[in-house]
Amino acid sequence: MEILTYRGEKANLQVLAEEIADHPALKGHCVAQVQITETGEQESLRYGGWAEITIAIASGVATNAIYDGLRYLVDRARDRGVVTEVEPQPKDDGHIDASTD
């Protein structure tokens, strides 16, 4: 499962989640979840709360059409306000590298 995460204003990301749920090509293959976060753009004068949206793409359907649809909706969200991609965190598999330099 492919996971994409974006950070921005809560209201804007909620609209993005609704757009994903309503999009004919995405609604059966993508699930979007919005979580409120304390991290935001400190210089923003807007009053909206900050959040992160996590978009999960079902395994086996990660096609160009899915990514093009998501890119289009994220660009529309960027037109409405600040939306930044959050880099994926490396997975901690519990392995400790014992090598020394």
Side-chain angles (χ1 to χ4, degrees), residues 9-19 34 36 53 80:
E9 291 176 283
K10 181 179 79 168
N12 190 12
L13 296 183
Q14 287 173 328
V15 171
L16 176 57
E18 291 170 7
E19 289 176 338
V34 178
I36 297 171
I53 186 170
R80 292 188 297 262

Side-chain angles (χ1 to χ4, degrees), residues 11-77:
N12 190 12
L13 296 183
Q14 287 173 328
V15 171
L16 176 57
E18 291 170 7
E19 289 176 338
I20 290 170
D22 292 340
H23 194 280
L26 303 179
K27 66 181 174 184
H29 305 293
C30 300
V31 176
Q33 181 179 9
V34 178
Q35 285 186 296
I36 297 171
T37 182
E38 297 299 319
T39 306
E41 301 293 324
Q42 300 299 323
E43 66 273 4
S44 175
L45 298 177
R46 295 184 179 198
Y47 295 105
W50 290 89
E52 287 185 352
I53 186 170
T54 303
I55 304 166
I57 304 168
S59 297
V61 297
T63 65
N64 286 345
I66 297 292
Y67 285 110
D68 288 346
L70 283 172
R71 192 174 310 118
Y72 172 74
L73 293 178
V74 169
D75 286 345
R76 283 180 43 162

Side-chain angles (χ1 to χ4, degrees), residues 1-7 85-92:
M1 181 172 291
E2 180 75 21
I3 306 284
L4 304 173
T5 305
Y6 296 92
R7 185 174 292 134
E85 187 169 2
V86 177
E87 293 297 321
Q89 299 298 318
K91 292 182 182 179
D92 183 9

